Amino acid sequence: MENKEGQYVKRTQKDYTLAFKLQVVSEVENGEIGLRAAQRKYGIQGDSTIRTWIEKHGQYDKSYKLRSMKKSPEQELMELRQQLKLLEKKNRRLEKELNQADKKALFFDMMIDIAEEEFEIPIRKKSLPEQLINSKKKKK
């Protein structure tokens, strides 16, 4: 909405007539324009205003979601390919991290073995079942 000097004036809730709402809803539902584009085109301030209008005045049932509008098979295929590439990349990264973690565990195990040999002290805890049973009896 513009005033006489050509400056932009934000609309208020009172400006939206039923006919205006129906026109915007119709354009969005028919796919002529997206939510953000309609918001900019008509100077609608609220992000959820048009969604609310669609729920109230649209031709779809309440479960209609704008983000789940029908996509062409080509779009779906392209999205699935992108998801596959991302998952493959994530899988390679996780496999690399797992391999590094395994190597670290093996390295630390070897370090403990060497330390036990050189200093002749037991570093690892080796509790026998008898010791566990005796410790439980003492606690009671």
Side-chain angles (χ1 to χ4, degrees):
M1 186 175 232
E2 294 183 10
N3 65 9
K4 292 180 183 177
E5 290 91 38
Q7 294 176 335
Y8 179 77
V9 176
K10 288 186 178 181
R11 299 180 76 120
T12 63
Q13 187 73 23
K14 299 171 195 168
D15 292 336
Y16 304 130
T17 63
L18 180 59
F20 175 77
K21 292 176 186 180
L22 293 175
Q23 176 189 351
V24 174
V25 167
S26 173
E27 286 182 27
V28 173
E29 283 183 341
N30 292 334
E32 297 170 21
I33 192 168
L35 277 177
R36 291 278 182 202
Q39 196 176 345
R40 283 189 302 270
K41 179 179 177 181
Y42 295 110
I44 299 167
Q45 295 176 28
D47 289 338
S48 63
T49 304
I50 298 174
R51 284 190 197 96
T52 305
W53 293 352
I54 289 173
E55 288 176 11
K56 289 182 181 177
H57 308 293
Q59 296 177 6
Y60 297 97
D61 61 3
K62 296 282 184 193
S63 65
Y64 173 77
K65 301 276 187 248
L66 286 174
R67 294 180 188 201
S68 64
M69 289 177 72
K70 293 283 184 185
K71 296 177 185 172
S72 70
E74 293 83 18
Q75 288 174 325
E76 288 182 17
L77 184 61
M78 190 169 72
E79 286 180 9
L80 290 173
R81 285 182 179 160
Q82 288 174 344
Q83 287 177 348
L84 179 63
K85 285 180 183 179
L86 287 173
L87 290 173
E88 287 173 342
K89 186 176 179 179
K90 184 177 181 179
N91 189 32
R92 284 192 299 271
R93 181 181 54 83
L94 290 173
E95 285 177 349
K96 186 177 178 180
E97 288 176 10
L98 177 63
N99 190 17
Q100 287 176 342
D102 287 344
K103 286 180 181 178
K104 282 183 182 179
L106 184 62
F107 177 73
F108 290 139
D109 198 38
M110 289 171 45
M111 285 178 42
I112 291 171
D113 288 341
I114 293 170
E116 285 179 333
E117 278 181 30
E118 284 191 22
F119 299 112
E120 296 178 3
I121 55 170
I123 297 174
R124 288 188 182 90
K125 253 187 180 174
K126 298 177 184 174
S127 54
L128 300 173
E130 298 166 7
Q131 292 173 333
L132 291 174
I133 293 170
N134 291 337
S135 66
K136 286 182 182 179
K137 285 181 182 178
K138 289 178 184 176
K139 287 181 183 178
K140 290 182 182 179

